[in-house]
Amino acid sequence: MAAGGPRLPDTVLFEIFLYLDHADVLSVGLVCQQWRAVSRDEFLWKELFYRYYRVSRDVPRHPAAVSWYDEFQRLYDTIPCVEVQALKEHNDQVLHLSFSHSGCLFASCSKDCTVKIWSNELDISLQHSSNMRPYNWSYTQFSQFNSDDSLLLVSGVFVGPHNSSSGEIAVISMENFTLLSRVRNKPYDVFGCWLNETNLISGNLHRIGRITSCSVLWLNNAFQGIESENVNVVKRLFKIQNLNASTIRTVMVADCSRYDSPDLLLDYEEQLAASSTFPVFDLGSDSEEEEAKPKQSPEPAIQELPDAGGVPAEDGLQQFFDDIMEGRMRPAMTETELETKVAELFVRSRTKPPEPNLLPTDSNSKTKYLIFTTGCLTYSPHQIGIKRILPHQMTTAGPVLGEERRSDEFFDSLDHVIDIHGHIIGMGLSPDHRYLYVNSRAWPRDCIISDPMQPPPIAEEIDLHVFDLKTMKEVKRALRAHRAYTPNEECFFIFLDVSRDFVASGAEDRHGYIWDRHYNICLAKLQHDNVVNSVAFSPVEQELLLTASDDTTIKVWRSPRAVRVRQARRPRPRKLLFSWLMNQKS
């Protein structure tokens, strides 16, 4: 609107702005003299914010926001949604991305069986590429830098004798990119993770029956090849029984030390008053009445069976066998049901009890949580297991097979289990490790699993759940927008990542997605030509996001603000300046 022209009523002008997109709202606001006069009107910008972003009015403003105008501009100007570079050095599907803690480097894994190290400068460039085929790997699938960025853990699929596939973890030095050690990892989708600067966690799987197995989690020293023979380089952490064809997968470690000073509190009531608690929503519940009720703590994955008349576990197992032999079992049990029942009875008397007081009470606690996917009904991962790692367990020193235990403590129990009621396809921690984000594809409501080898069908819509690891409760309604289409037996991991204010995820619908953590709204869709497998925020600059896809590319996304700043910093070409000077002289 030109200066001196007819003046529209503020309410009419406001309604016009409601129908403009992000760019129009802000760019028109820069040239519209009348809008400048009301641009700091908090009431107008609050109305615009709630109506434009379709945010519920009971959601308060972000606790760090100064004004509604600044908050509106933040959600437009700081979202990494502008593609600035496409990296095409991989020649097959790109499966995973991970940043170093300094943000100076990132690694990518691919079906081309390489792990590539990239330098994050003004323009991202390839610094090193390691081919893992000489070590009989099929492909690389996951990577993670240790806490001081001196070592890189790389997880891949290893081809063994008779073309059997398992997993393997390699440790690469960032000083000279040499391979320091290799550790077997089974099954391969355990992935592996760092516990501290020099020790990493791997898995092994032992079959006990057709659908019963035992997962062993090992603590490994990264320098196995160069340590003295007199120093332990491996120690058993935990041994956990698996029922109904389930296994432990996707391990990660959460540090409890920052739970009392998180970057962002997701509980709106807790933001206003630390003593109040936000209602917890029951997983899979569609009833508002049910959602209003406090959620009961899930039962441990290894559940206590009803104790009939106080009969000891050993006697219960013997009684069960006697009932079978004498024909007292009615109705007749299938082979699968029989195996599961025997395993449950056996584990009752062979399991070390869970640690008391799982929730950390000391803000300076050195306790860490081992978090992984597991299950109890079928082979598809549908539960999250949590096991506390105590300070004395964080080193390979001590007995090779772990801490001393009684002869009847054959298995370790889980300290906490979260039931998702669906197939888990991704997990990620917030930077402060306070919140756990979980991608899952829901099962039909009230479904019954009668055969562990035939899990229920899964939804195409992906639910992104949020759990508070301090309270072990779900704190937000599931985020939605992204989709997946593969059935249970072909379902694969969709990696997600969390920054201070945003959460991002890949999807099978050829897009990456970004949500705001506080407002629970989807802010951007990032286009690819195929499935988006992984996303990664820079840990020091959340306005930089990477996405990796089956289309073999890694795309680099920056916020509109970051693009403007970087363009302003670019030096002008000397040739143009020289030509201008010569023209001035002539």
Side-chain angles (χ1 to χ4, degrees), residues 240-244 246-248 297-305 340 343-344 347 351 354 372-377 382-387 412-419:
I240 299 169
Q241 188 194 48
N242 305 310
L243 301 175
N244 289 321
S246 64
T247 61
I248 286 179
S297 298
E299 294 295 323
I302 303 175
Q303 299 179 9
E304 288 292 337
L305 296 178
T340 300
E344 288 176 339
V347 80
T351 300
F372 45 84
T373 62
T374 182
C376 64
L377 302 175
H382 55 278
Q383 293 179 322
I384 299 166
I386 299 176
K387 185 68 180 171
D412 294 288
S413 60
L414 303 187
D415 294 325
H416 196 83
V417 172
I418 299 173
D419 199 335

Side-chain angles (χ1 to χ4, degrees), residues 339-388:
E339 181 180 328
T340 300
K341 187 72 173 181
V342 171
E344 288 176 339
L345 287 168
F346 176 78
V347 80
R348 287 178 59 194
S349 60
R350 295 292 186 271
T351 300
K352 185 179 180 180
E355 297 289 344
N357 300 324
L358 172 66
L359 302 182
T361 56
D362 182 5
S363 60
N364 297 318
S365 172
K366 295 181 180 180
T367 299
K368 295 183 179 181
Y369 290 157
L370 181 64
I371 301 172
F372 45 84
T373 62
T374 182
C376 64
L377 302 175
T378 179
Y379 69 81
S380 64
H382 55 278
Q383 293 179 322
I384 299 166
I386 299 176
K387 185 68 180 171
R388 181 162 58 177

Side-chain angles (χ1 to χ4, degrees), residues 142-177:
F142 175 84
S143 65
Q144 185 183 45
F145 288 84
N146 70 341
S147 57
D148 64 3
D149 295 335
S150 62
L151 302 173
L152 179 68
L153 176 155
V154 182
S155 174
V157 176
F158 174 86
V159 180
H162 310 293
N163 292 323
S164 62
S165 63
S166 183
E168 192 168 77
I169 295 172
V171 178
I172 298 175
S173 168
M174 288 294 96
E175 183 179 0
N176 50 17
F177 303 112

Side-chain angles (χ1 to χ4, degrees), residues 218-451:
W218 294 90
L219 185 62
N220 308 267
N221 192 304
F223 301 95
Q224 292 190 19
I226 57 178
E227 288 285 352
S228 165
E229 294 182 359
N230 297 320
V231 178
N232 287 337
V233 294
V234 63
K235 183 176 73 173
R236 191 179 76 191
L237 269 180
F238 306 116
K239 187 174 184 179
I240 299 169
Q241 188 194 48
N242 305 310
L243 301 175
N244 289 321
S246 64
T247 61
I248 286 179
R249 314 178 190 189
T250 320
V251 298
M252 61 177 58
V253 173
D255 188 343
C256 307
S257 61
R258 292 189 59 197
Y259 283 5
D260 290 334
S261 56
D263 297 328
L264 175 66
L265 281 171
L266 297 185
D267 192 317
Y268 302 138
E269 295 291 337
E270 195 174 357
Q271 291 174 8
L272 301 175
S275 61
S276 60
T277 305
F278 191 71
V280 178
F281 299 101
D282 187 16
L283 287 178
S285 173
D286 294 330
S287 166
E288 293 182 4
E289 184 175 324
E290 288 179 2
E291 288 173 348
K293 298 178 182 178
K295 183 180 174 183
Q296 299 297 319
S297 298
E299 294 295 323
I302 303 175
Q303 299 179 9
E304 288 292 337
L305 296 178
D307 195 354
V311 177
E314 294 86 346
D315 294 343
L317 186 59
Q318 184 60 51
Q319 182 67 50
F320 178 68
F321 286 136
D322 291 342
D323 290 343
I324 293 176
M325 297 303 295
E326 297 176 15
R328 292 196 295 266
M329 293 299 299
R330 293 290 185 270
M333 302 180 74
T334 65
E335 182 180 340
T336 297
E337 292 171 336
L338 179 61
E339 181 180 328
T340 300
K341 187 72 173 181
V342 171
E344 288 176 339
L345 287 168
F346 176 78
V347 80
R348 287 178 59 194
S349 60
R350 295 292 186 271
T351 300
K352 185 179 180 180
E355 297 289 344
N357 300 324
L358 172 66
L359 302 182
T361 56
D362 182 5
S363 60
N364 297 318
S365 172
K366 295 181 180 180
T367 299
K368 295 183 179 181
Y369 290 157
L370 181 64
I371 301 172
F372 45 84
T373 62
T374 182
C376 64
L377 302 175
T378 179
Y379 69 81
S380 64
H382 55 278
Q383 293 179 322
I384 299 166
I386 299 176
K387 185 68 180 171
R388 181 162 58 177
I389 307 175
L390 300 175
H392 70 272
Q393 296 174 306
M394 299 182 192
T395 173
T396 55
V400 174
L401 293 181
E403 302 303 317
E404 295 296 331
R405 62 185 69 202
R406 301 198 314 265
S407 59
D408 60 343
E409 292 178 346
F410 192 74
F411 296 110
D412 294 288
S413 60
L414 303 187
D415 294 325
H416 196 83
V417 172
I418 299 173
D419 199 335
I420 299 297
H421 193 74
H423 192 129
I424 299 171
I425 60 170
M427 294 197 302
L429 289 165
S430 60
D432 53 22
H433 289 204
R434 170 75 180 262
Y435 298 98
L436 177 68
Y437 287 74
V438 181
N439 268 336
S440 74
R441 296 173 61 184
W443 291 336
R445 191 176 183 184
D446 300 325
C447 65
I448 298 175
I449 301 175
S450 57
D451 184 350

Side-chain angles (χ1 to χ4, degrees), residues 79-80 426-431 437-439 462 464 479 482 494-507 511-517 521-526 532-538 542 544-548 557:
I79 309 301
M427 294 197 302
L429 289 165
S430 60
Y437 287 74
V438 181
N439 268 336
I462 302 174
L464 183 48
L479 302 172
H482 48 333
I494 299 289
F495 291 97
L496 58 94
D497 197 24
V498 190
S499 71
R500 185 187 68 246
D501 295 313
F502 310 127
V503 55
S505 175
H511 288 87
Y513 289 82
I514 303 175
W515 294 264
D516 184 84
R517 292 178 60 198
I521 53 175
C522 185
L523 297 171
K525 292 176 64 176
L526 311 175
V532 178
N533 296 305
S534 180
V535 297
F537 286 102
S538 166
Q542 67 173 356
L544 167 61
L545 177 72
L546 307 174
T547 55
W557 308 84

Side-chain angles (χ1 to χ4, degrees), residues 563-575:
V563 170
R564 292 196 306 271
V565 171
R566 293 173 75 85
Q567 288 175 344
R569 289 177 180 173
R570 288 181 180 272
R572 295 187 177 183
R574 290 182 176 273
K575 288 185 178 180

